[in-house]
Amino acid sequence: MTICPALGFPTVGTAAMVNRAIFGTIDPSFWVGWIIMIAALVGAIAVFFILETAHLVRVSIRTGVIYGAALWLFAGIVIMPLIGIIEKPPSVIVNVPVIPQADPMQATVMMYSLGPLASVAALIAWVLFGAILGATGSAQQRRDIAPIGAAAR
């Protein structure tokens, strides 16, 4: 998501949006948003491998891509609107009009406030996340399975 502007996509700063939802600040360098984002990604990785351990999915690049697309839908349709609901309004000073926030990124369904390219950028990121997850899991699975002749040597 960091390289989105270089690729022609809108700037997408999810950690900054999480910070604004919790604390009312849009400081993208504030560490709490980053910790929440990393914890959510680690949780998504854990769920993928728990599903594989329970034999509900077979680890491969294809299942990783499907899992990434499912995470994209879940994040865009469930998580983003929830963040938008809990987002703190800008502080209001008595008798002073509220200036719209400089940050155009608002937590909405599939980030429609930034246009369709924000959803496309998020889809690309989630599909890449899933593909790498599936490839890593399938490589680990192949390493655990020894060739038939190797045990006899």
Side-chain angles (χ1 to χ4, degrees), residues 19-131:
N19 284 333
R20 185 177 53 217
I22 296 171
F23 301 107
T25 180
I26 59 172
D27 182 11
S29 64
F30 195 57
W31 57 272
V32 174
W34 286 106
I35 288 177
I36 291 171
M37 291 291 302
I38 291 169
L41 290 174
V42 168
I45 293 168
V47 167
F48 184 74
F49 287 113
I50 288 170
L51 291 173
E52 189 269 332
T53 303
H55 302 291
L56 296 173
V57 296
R58 185 174 175 190
V59 176
S60 68
I61 294 175
R62 182 183 322 143
T63 56
V65 167
I66 293 168
Y67 185 68
L71 288 174
W72 170 70
L73 284 171
F74 181 72
I77 294 175
V78 177
I79 302 298
M80 288 298 165
L82 285 176
I83 290 175
I85 290 171
I86 65 168
E87 195 169 56
K88 294 183 178 187
S91 58
V92 178
I93 302 172
V94 180
N95 297 328
V96 177
V98 176
I99 300 171
Q101 293 181 349
D103 185 13
M105 186 171 170
Q106 303 298 317
T108 56
V109 174
M110 289 294 184
M111 299 306 299
Y112 73 85
S113 61
L114 290 177
L117 287 180
S119 294
V120 172
L123 176 62
I124 292 169
W126 280 114
V127 166
L128 284 172
F129 174 79

